[in-house]
Amino acid sequence: MAGVAEPQNRQARPMPPPQSRGPPPPARPRSEPVDREKTCPLLLRVFTKVGGHHPQEDFAVRGKEPKDEVQIYTWKDATLRELTDLVKEVAPAARRRDAKLSFAFVYPDKNGHFVVRPVGMTHSHGNGRRMDDHQTLADLSFQIGDYLSVAII
């Protein structure tokens, strides 16, 4: 008969196996703690700006970086919370109760052009419970020589 659909014999599609609900995958391994008594600190050049990060063009010419620089001697196991507290000592805007600090690494790409890569955010008066508070520079793939841009929002 034309125009009448005849039922076809279809095989049922096999159902996928049920997903196991075991433990979550292991967290990314944390970096090794640094013995701060025996390890020389590194110089971290920090550039703060109220309202947002410095654009990458501000870092294009060596020696003409933004003027609002703070130099901090620290270690690769320093957390964003530690850095927040240090920035608050020198930047009055970061001391506001509602201030947020956005962190970004600034480094040259393979072509020599600077890249601003956001890596985390903290609250000025945080209680240490935010995930980013406990991130270390090493956890975030910081390399010695990178700059740190801190936007105070």
Side-chain angles (χ1 to χ4, degrees), residues 90-101:
V90 296
R95 296 182 205 136
R96 290 190 338 257
R97 189 115 189 104
D98 62 342
K100 294 179 186 175
L101 281 72

Side-chain angles (χ1 to χ4, degrees), residues 58-146:
D58 287 0
F59 300 96
V61 180
R62 183 141 181 104
K64 297 202 184 221
E65 292 87 4
K67 298 294 179 207
D68 48 9
E69 177 180 359
V70 179
Q71 294 184 350
I72 298 174
Y73 286 92
T74 190
W75 294 266
K76 286 182 99 173
D77 69 343
T79 64
L80 293 185
R81 171 53 46 199
E82 287 178 72
L83 295 172
T84 296
D85 293 340
L86 291 170
V87 168
K88 284 168 46 178
E89 290 179 18
V90 296
R95 296 182 205 136
R96 290 190 338 257
R97 189 115 189 104
D98 62 342
K100 294 179 186 175
L101 281 72
S102 173
F103 293 87
F105 293 154
V106 181
Y107 55 90
D109 64 11
K110 62 183 177 183
N111 298 320
H113 300 104
F114 277 87
V115 175
V116 178
R117 179 173 63 94
V119 294
M121 185 173 290
T122 62
H123 290 278
S124 176
H125 291 278
N127 54 13
R129 292 187 189 153
R130 287 189 49 117
M131 182 67 114
D132 292 344
D133 282 356
H134 300 291
Q135 293 287 330
T136 67
L137 292 174
D139 292 340
L140 299 167
S141 302
F142 173 82
Q143 293 184 17
I144 294 174
D146 292 353

Side-chain angles (χ1 to χ4, degrees), residues 9-23:
N9 291 335
R10 288 190 190 188
Q11 291 183 353
R13 232 183 320 174
M15 295 296 291
Q19 296 290 327
S20 64
R21 297 197 54 107

